[in-house]
Amino acid sequence: MTGPDGRVTLEVGAGAQGTHVPEAASAAPSAATGASRPLKVVGVSGSLHEPSRTTALVRTILATVARQLPAETELVEVAALGAGFAGALTREEVAPEVETALRAIESADLLVVASPVYRASFTGLFKHLFDFVGQYDLVGTPVLLAATGGGERHALIIEHQLRPLFGFFQALTLPIGVYASNSDFVDYQLTSPDVARRVVQAVDRSLPLIEQAALVRRSEYVATW
């Protein structure tokens, strides 16, 4: 469901359309976020188009997380927000809806980020959006990395482009990323059983790290070199 600010909020536990995503091993204990509030999970799609395979992949991952943990999920779409920050040189110049999205990213308990491969990297507007994120606001934040591309040859974008970007922010990039090719989608819906299993594997392997990050208070010491 798309709100007036261009972001999409998914109902907790809502499944993605398209291929059936296998059930994960078991629901994680709710101790990770405590009894007081669900996990705040924010997805960011760097696609410049709608409909979008990248956005469909992010929605699938968000839905899988929501089945595993008490979570409130939110999706930030660069395609919807781009006009509000494409020409901005400072954060003070971005549109109000972009500022709202930036604050959601900075306050997330878990980020799910994805971009289509464009000229051997993520899209320019995806990078420009993160240029406005506070340098130390993602320290210790778990980040699940994903990407889409025309073929398997682009899969290394996760390791060569996305992981270094979030390493700069001192975020906790989760060990398994998810890559999907154009052939894994039909009518902009994920249909590949292999990619669906990869999504479940990525989420399952990440749960202990996500839970631990939610329990640990961010250190007052932050590397500034």
Side-chain angles (χ1 to χ4, degrees):
M1 179 176 182
T2 304
D5 59 0
R7 293 177 294 138
V8 177
T9 300
L10 303 179
E11 291 181 2
V12 174
Q17 297 178 354
T19 190
H20 171 69
V21 179
E23 292 295 332
S26 61
S30 60
T33 57
S36 60
R37 69 175 182 88
L39 199 74
K40 180 178 179 180
V41 185
V42 177
V44 181
S45 171
S47 174
L48 306 182
H49 307 284
E50 179 59 36
S52 161
R53 298 178 185 89
T54 303
T55 304
L57 179 59
V58 175
R59 287 194 180 111
T60 299
I61 297 171
L62 290 176
T64 303
V65 172
R67 284 196 295 271
Q68 285 288 79
L69 291 169
E72 292 179 350
T73 61
E74 181 177 340
L75 178 56
V76 173
E77 297 184 64
V78 165
L81 298 176
F85 70 91
L89 298 180
T90 66
R91 183 156 172 172
E92 289 72 23
E93 297 174 8
V94 305
E97 61 270 23
V98 178
E99 177 61 31
T100 299
L102 290 169
R103 292 182 182 181
I105 291 168
E106 292 168 344
S107 61
D109 297 308
L110 168 65
L111 286 176
V112 177
V113 303
S115 174
V117 178
Y118 187 77
R119 299 294 190 268
S121 186
F122 32 66
T123 61
L125 281 182
F126 175 86
K127 175 58 166 62
H128 195 42
L129 180 67
F130 279 94
D131 285 342
F132 296 122
V133 171
Q135 183 174 349
Y136 303 113
D137 287 331
L138 300 184
V139 173
T141 300
V143 183
L144 198 159
L145 307 173
T148 61
E152 298 300 324
R153 67 187 181 279
H154 297 303
L156 285 176
I157 182 180
I158 291 176
E159 304 303 326
H160 288 230
Q161 301 288 335
L162 288 168
R163 205 174 294 278
L165 172 62
F166 291 96
F168 163 81
F169 285 108
Q170 302 180 56
L172 176 63
T173 55
L174 297 170
I176 297 180
V178 180
Y179 178 83
S181 298
N182 289 352
S183 59
D184 296 320
F185 299 85
V186 174
D187 294 329
Y188 296 97
Q189 298 296 332
L190 180 65
T191 56
S192 166
D194 290 338
V195 176
R197 284 191 290 270
R198 179 74 171 181
V199 169
V200 171
Q201 181 187 46
V203 172
D204 277 350
R205 295 279 185 88
S206 299
L207 287 177
L209 297 173
I210 295 168
E211 293 173 349
Q212 184 62 26
L215 290 170
V216 174
R217 187 173 71 89
R218 181 173 298 180
S219 172
E220 294 181 1
Y221 169 77
V222 176
T224 55
W225 44 269

